[in-house]
Amino acid sequence: MANVVKGYQDYLAEAEAVIEQVNTAQAIALHQQGDVIFIDVRDVRELERDGMISGAYHCARGMLEFWADAKSPYHKDVFANSEQVLIVYCAAAWRSALATKTLVEMGFINAKQYVDGLTAWKEAGAPTQRKEKV
């Protein structure tokens, strides 16, 4: 067994100490406002299987730093405004916590984590959409 010096729980605790989190009721209210961008950091296979929040932008966790950095050749316009409210989510709130912390460290001052995840969103009857296979 590997001698892990710093484990995933340590990374999650560090992230949760510095990010703002929103619950399902808050996330739905923000979604209804229409002036926020929901960022789905799950794997594309999860999107194809489970769907996604309506209108969300998919950015796989492994590409986040490259897509968010304006100096990167992979930069995406959805990350052009560092003051835009971004609501980051995944399935179990682990990847989204780490992704939100990364965005905040990159200067996205209004990045927040949707802490309850897609399952809670669907259970609340909030709008979802299908992700078609590419």
Side-chain angles (χ1 to χ4, degrees), residues 59-70 72 98 102 106:
C59 176
R61 175 65 189 97
M63 294 304 295
L64 181 68
E65 292 85 349
F66 303 104
W67 289 9
D69 185 346
S72 167
L98 300 178
T102 297
M106 293 180 79

Side-chain angles (χ1 to χ4, degrees), residues 26-129:
Q26 294 166 317
I28 290 171
L30 288 165
H31 189 266
Q32 291 171 343
Q33 287 178 6
D35 58 348
V36 303
I37 299 173
F38 280 72
I39 306 290
D40 190 320
V41 294
R42 295 175 302 139
D43 182 89
V44 69
R45 292 169 295 218
E46 292 175 274
L47 275 68
E48 292 168 353
R49 182 187 66 220
D50 302 325
M52 58 194 296
I53 291 174
S54 291
Y57 185 84
H58 177 240
C59 176
R61 175 65 189 97
M63 294 304 295
L64 181 68
E65 292 85 349
F66 303 104
W67 289 9
D69 185 346
K71 296 176 185 169
S72 167
Y74 301 103
H75 176 72
K76 301 293 183 188
D77 287 342
V78 71
F79 296 106
N81 180 357
S82 63
E83 294 182 12
Q84 171 69 50
V85 176
L86 302 173
I87 307 297
V88 184
Y89 76 96
C90 64
W94 294 358
R95 289 171 286 182
S96 60
L98 300 178
T100 303
K101 180 178 184 276
T102 297
L103 286 170
V104 169
E105 289 172 345
M106 293 180 79
F108 292 88
I109 59 174
N110 292 313
K112 304 172 189 340
Q113 178 202 23
Y114 169 39
V115 71
D116 297 326
L118 183 66
T119 301
W121 182 268
K122 291 166 94 172
E123 288 172 354
T128 61
Q129 68 185 48

